[in-house]
Amino acid sequence: MGWIIAIIVGGIAGWLASMVMNRDASMGIFWNIVVGIIGSVIGNALAGPLLGVQGTVQAFSLTGLLIAIAGAIVLLAIVNLIQRGRVR
């Protein structure tokens, strides 16, 4: 059951992060889920040592959702920097 919650919360986090970063039109539901789950990992890696806060997308909590959104925003910012440097 935890993986279903991870997919749902990851999708919501990825969708909200893509809206914040103005990438919503270029991402589908699959990439929103991927960005949200990877963003949760990044967010936990950053929030744990810096703030002493831990969250997870496997058991729904507001803290876990906010950390996942913040991590997804960081991930999308990194992707934007990489794509900006690429020749089009």
Side-chain angles (χ1 to χ4, degrees):
M1 187 69 162
W3 62 275
I4 294 172
I5 294 172
I7 290 172
I8 293 169
V9 173
I12 292 169
W15 173 63
L16 291 173
S18 69
M19 289 180 66
V20 168
M21 299 297 291
N22 292 326
R23 293 186 56 97
D24 193 38
S26 65
M27 296 177 57
I29 190 167
F30 174 76
W31 288 112
N32 283 334
I33 293 169
V34 170
V35 166
I37 292 173
I38 294 172
S40 177
V41 172
I42 292 171
N44 279 314
L46 295 175
L50 295 177
L51 304 174
V53 178
Q54 291 293 325
T56 180
V57 294
Q58 291 183 346
F60 180 75
S61 69
L62 185 59
T63 305
L65 180 62
L66 293 175
I67 289 173
I69 292 169
I73 289 172
V74 169
L75 177 62
L76 288 175
I78 292 169
V79 169
N80 283 343
L81 287 174
I82 291 171
Q83 285 183 344
R84 188 179 306 161
R86 192 174 3 157
V87 177
R88 295 177 191 213

